[in-house]
PDB file of all heavy atoms in Angstrom:
ATOM      1  N   LYS A  14      69.199 -92.879 117.834  1.00  0.00           N
ATOM      2  CA  LYS A  14      69.687 -91.689 118.560  1.00  0.00           C
ATOM      3  C   LYS A  14      68.545 -90.950 119.227  1.00  0.00           C
ATOM      4  O   LYS A  14      67.438 -90.903 118.696  1.00  0.00           O
ATOM      5  CB  LYS A  14      70.405 -90.745 117.589  1.00  0.00           C
ATOM      6  CG  LYS A  14      71.696 -91.331 117.075  1.00  0.00           C
ATOM      7  CD  LYS A  14      72.205 -90.586 115.845  1.00  0.00           C
ATOM      8  CE  LYS A  14      73.150 -91.455 115.042  1.00  0.00           C
ATOM      9  NZ  LYS A  14      72.493 -92.577 114.331  1.00  0.00           N
ATOM     10  N   THR A  30      45.069 -82.709 136.890  1.00  0.00           N
ATOM     11  CA  THR A  30      45.269 -81.359 137.420  1.00  0.00           C
ATOM     12  C   THR A  30      45.009 -80.278 136.372  1.00  0.00           C
ATOM     13  O   THR A  30      44.852 -79.111 136.713  1.00  0.00           O
ATOM     14  CB  THR A  30      46.725 -81.192 137.898  1.00  0.00           C
ATOM     15  OG1 THR A  30      47.596 -81.376 136.757  1.00  0.00           O
ATOM     16  CG2 THR A  30      47.094 -82.199 138.977  1.00  0.00           C
ATOM     17  N   ALA A  51      65.692 -94.232 108.091  1.00  0.00           N
ATOM     18  CA  ALA A  51      66.423 -95.097 109.036  1.00  0.00           C
ATOM     19  C   ALA A  51      65.775 -96.478 109.099  1.00  0.00           C
ATOM     20  O   ALA A  51      66.459 -97.513 109.110  1.00  0.00           O
ATOM     21  CB  ALA A  51      66.454 -94.453 110.423  1.00  0.00           C
ATOM     22  N   ASP A  63      68.254-114.245 111.806  1.00  0.00           N
ATOM     23  CA  ASP A  63      67.552-115.471 112.170  1.00  0.00           C
ATOM     24  C   ASP A  63      66.381-115.135 113.102  1.00  0.00           C
ATOM     25  O   ASP A  63      66.509-114.280 113.988  1.00  0.00           O
ATOM     26  CB  ASP A  63      68.560-116.391 112.883  1.00  0.00           C
ATOM     27  CG  ASP A  63      67.914-117.687 113.285  1.00  0.00           C
ATOM     28  OD1 ASP A  63      67.558-118.455 112.384  1.00  0.00           O
ATOM     29  OD2 ASP A  63      67.722-117.897 114.505  1.00  0.00           O
ATOM     30  N   GLN A 135      55.847-118.935 101.626  1.00  0.00           N
ATOM     31  CA  GLN A 135      56.544-118.333 102.763  1.00  0.00           C
ATOM     32  C   GLN A 135      55.878-116.998 103.080  1.00  0.00           C
ATOM     33  O   GLN A 135      55.317-116.368 102.185  1.00  0.00           O
ATOM     34  CB  GLN A 135      58.008-118.056 102.403  1.00  0.00           C
ATOM     35  CG  GLN A 135      58.725-119.257 101.835  1.00  0.00           C
ATOM     36  CD  GLN A 135      60.016-118.873 101.113  1.00  0.00           C
ATOM     37  OE1 GLN A 135      60.168-117.761 100.622  1.00  0.00           O
ATOM     38  NE2 GLN A 135      60.943-119.822 101.057  1.00  0.00           N
ATOM     39  N   THR A 165      58.273-110.432 112.832  1.00  0.00           N
ATOM     40  CA  THR A 165      58.199-110.957 111.463  1.00  0.00           C
ATOM     41  C   THR A 165      59.256-110.334 110.547  1.00  0.00           C
ATOM     42  O   THR A 165      59.332-110.665 109.364  1.00  0.00           O
ATOM     43  CB  THR A 165      56.788-110.736 110.855  1.00  0.00           C
ATOM     44  OG1 THR A 165      56.367-109.402 111.144  1.00  0.00           O
ATOM     45  CG2 THR A 165      55.779-111.711 111.411  1.00  0.00           C
ATOM     46  N   GLU A 186      63.370 -95.414 124.498  1.00  0.00           N
ATOM     47  CA  GLU A 186      64.779 -95.269 124.909  1.00  0.00           C
ATOM     48  C   GLU A 186      65.336 -96.592 125.433  1.00  0.00           C
ATOM     49  O   GLU A 186      66.518 -96.877 125.285  1.00  0.00           O
ATOM     50  CB  GLU A 186      64.908 -94.208 126.002  1.00  0.00           C
ATOM     51  CG  GLU A 186      64.742 -92.805 125.456  1.00  0.00           C
ATOM     52  CD  GLU A 186      65.229 -91.744 126.438  1.00  0.00           C
ATOM     53  OE1 GLU A 186      66.177 -92.027 127.190  1.00  0.00           O
ATOM     54  OE2 GLU A 186      64.642 -90.653 126.426  1.00  0.00           O
ATOM     55  N   VAL A 216      56.654 -95.626 103.399  1.00  0.00           N
ATOM     56  CA  VAL A 216      55.997 -96.526 104.369  1.00  0.00           C
ATOM     57  C   VAL A 216      55.236 -97.593 103.588  1.00  0.00           C
ATOM     58  O   VAL A 216      54.488 -97.285 102.661  1.00  0.00           O
ATOM     59  CB  VAL A 216      55.037 -95.724 105.281  1.00  0.00           C
ATOM     60  CG1 VAL A 216      54.251 -96.651 106.189  1.00  0.00           C
ATOM     61  CG2 VAL A 216      55.814 -94.696 106.105  1.00  0.00           C
ATOM     62  N   SER A 224      39.918 -93.756 116.212  1.00  0.00           N
ATOM     63  CA  SER A 224      38.479 -93.653 115.975  1.00  0.00           C
ATOM     64  C   SER A 224      38.125 -94.088 114.546  1.00  0.00           C
ATOM     65  O   SER A 224      38.983 -94.077 113.641  1.00  0.00           O
ATOM     66  CB  SER A 224      38.030 -92.212 116.200  1.00  0.00           C
ATOM     67  OG  SER A 224      38.674 -91.380 115.268  1.00  0.00           O
ATOM     68  N   VAL A 231      42.587 -92.551 107.169  1.00  0.00           N
ATOM     69  CA  VAL A 231      43.827 -93.328 107.010  1.00  0.00           C
ATOM     70  C   VAL A 231      43.711 -94.225 105.781  1.00  0.00           C
ATOM     71  O   VAL A 231      44.630 -94.299 104.959  1.00  0.00           O
ATOM     72  CB  VAL A 231      44.098 -94.166 108.282  1.00  0.00           C
ATOM     73  CG1 VAL A 231      45.204 -95.176 108.054  1.00  0.00           C
ATOM     74  CG2 VAL A 231      44.433 -93.248 109.454  1.00  0.00           C
ATOM     75  N   LEU A 244      43.290-101.604 110.532  1.00  0.00           N
ATOM     76  CA  LEU A 244      42.574-100.533 111.223  1.00  0.00           C
ATOM     77  C   LEU A 244      41.824-101.120 112.412  1.00  0.00           C
ATOM     78  O   LEU A 244      40.936-101.966 112.238  1.00  0.00           O
ATOM     79  CB  LEU A 244      41.572 -99.863 110.276  1.00  0.00           C
ATOM     80  CG  LEU A 244      42.129 -99.294 108.957  1.00  0.00           C
ATOM     81  CD1 LEU A 244      40.995 -98.786 108.070  1.00  0.00           C
ATOM     82  CD2 LEU A 244      43.124 -98.173 109.236  1.00  0.00           C
ATOM     83  N   ALA A 271      32.298-101.696 132.111  1.00  0.00           N
ATOM     84  CA  ALA A 271      31.875-100.403 131.551  1.00  0.00           C
ATOM     85  C   ALA A 271      32.786 -99.256 131.981  1.00  0.00           C
ATOM     86  O   ALA A 271      32.969 -98.300 131.230  1.00  0.00           O
ATOM     87  CB  ALA A 271      30.440-100.106 131.985  1.00  0.00           C
ATOM     88  N   TYR A 286      22.292-104.533 128.171  1.00  0.00           N
ATOM     89  CA  TYR A 286      20.928-105.030 127.970  1.00  0.00           C
ATOM     90  C   TYR A 286      20.622-106.075 129.040  1.00  0.00           C
ATOM     91  O   TYR A 286      21.329-107.078 129.156  1.00  0.00           O
ATOM     92  CB  TYR A 286      20.792-105.656 126.568  1.00  0.00           C
ATOM     93  CG  TYR A 286      20.895-104.632 125.469  1.00  0.00           C
ATOM     94  CD1 TYR A 286      22.091-104.436 124.769  1.00  0.00           C
ATOM     95  CD2 TYR A 286      19.801-103.835 125.138  1.00  0.00           C
ATOM     96  CE1 TYR A 286      22.181-103.472 123.774  1.00  0.00           C
ATOM     97  CE2 TYR A 286      19.888-102.863 124.139  1.00  0.00           C
ATOM     98  CZ  TYR A 286      21.078-102.686 123.464  1.00  0.00           C
ATOM     99  OH  TYR A 286      21.163-101.729 122.493  1.00  0.00           O
ATOM    100  N   LEU A 299      24.355-102.715 141.016  1.00  0.00           N
ATOM    101  CA  LEU A 299      25.312-101.811 140.338  1.00  0.00           C
ATOM    102  C   LEU A 299      25.450-100.495 141.099  1.00  0.00           C
ATOM    103  O   LEU A 299      26.561 -99.989 141.284  1.00  0.00           O
ATOM    104  CB  LEU A 299      24.852-101.526 138.904  1.00  0.00           C
ATOM    105  CG  LEU A 299      25.187-102.579 137.853  1.00  0.00           C
ATOM    106  CD1 LEU A 299      24.537-102.228 136.518  1.00  0.00           C
ATOM    107  CD2 LEU A 299      26.708-102.713 137.668  1.00  0.00           C
ATOM    108  N   PRO A 353      36.866 -84.063 142.140  1.00  0.00           N
ATOM    109  CA  PRO A 353      37.899 -83.026 142.211  1.00  0.00           C
ATOM    110  C   PRO A 353      37.569 -81.842 141.295  1.00  0.00           C
ATOM    111  O   PRO A 353      37.025 -82.023 140.199  1.00  0.00           O
ATOM    112  CB  PRO A 353      39.156 -83.761 141.749  1.00  0.00           C
ATOM    113  CG  PRO A 353      38.857 -85.203 141.951  1.00  0.00           C
ATOM    114  CD  PRO A 353      37.391 -85.363 141.755  1.00  0.00           C
ATOM    115  N   THR A 362      28.118 -92.351 135.965  1.00  0.00           N
ATOM    116  CA  THR A 362      26.689 -92.074 135.790  1.00  0.00           C
ATOM    117  C   THR A 362      26.003 -93.290 135.161  1.00  0.00           C
ATOM    118  O   THR A 362      26.487 -93.824 134.152  1.00  0.00           O
ATOM    119  CB  THR A 362      26.484 -90.834 134.877  1.00  0.00           C
ATOM    120  OG1 THR A 362      27.240 -89.749 135.412  1.00  0.00           O
ATOM    121  CG2 THR A 362      25.016 -90.433 134.800  1.00  0.00           C
ATOM    122  N   GLU A 389      12.829-107.734 126.684  1.00  0.00           N
ATOM    123  CA  GLU A 389      11.773-108.674 127.087  1.00  0.00           C
ATOM    124  C   GLU A 389      12.143-110.109 126.723  1.00  0.00           C
ATOM    125  O   GLU A 389      11.889-111.026 127.481  1.00  0.00           O
ATOM    126  CB  GLU A 389      10.443-108.329 126.394  1.00  0.00           C
ATOM    127  CG  GLU A 389       9.956-106.904 126.622  1.00  0.00           C
ATOM    128  CD  GLU A 389       9.533-106.634 128.057  1.00  0.00           C
ATOM    129  OE1 GLU A 389       9.241-107.599 128.784  1.00  0.00           O
ATOM    130  OE2 GLU A 389       9.513-105.447 128.449  1.00  0.00           O
TER     131      GLU A 389
END
Side-chain angles (χ1 to χ4, degrees):
K14 292 164 202 71
T30 62
D63 180 67
Q135 308 163 334
T165 45
E186 286 195 32
V216 174
S224 63
V231 169
L244 304 174
Y286 292 99
L299 278 174
T362 306
E389 304 292 339

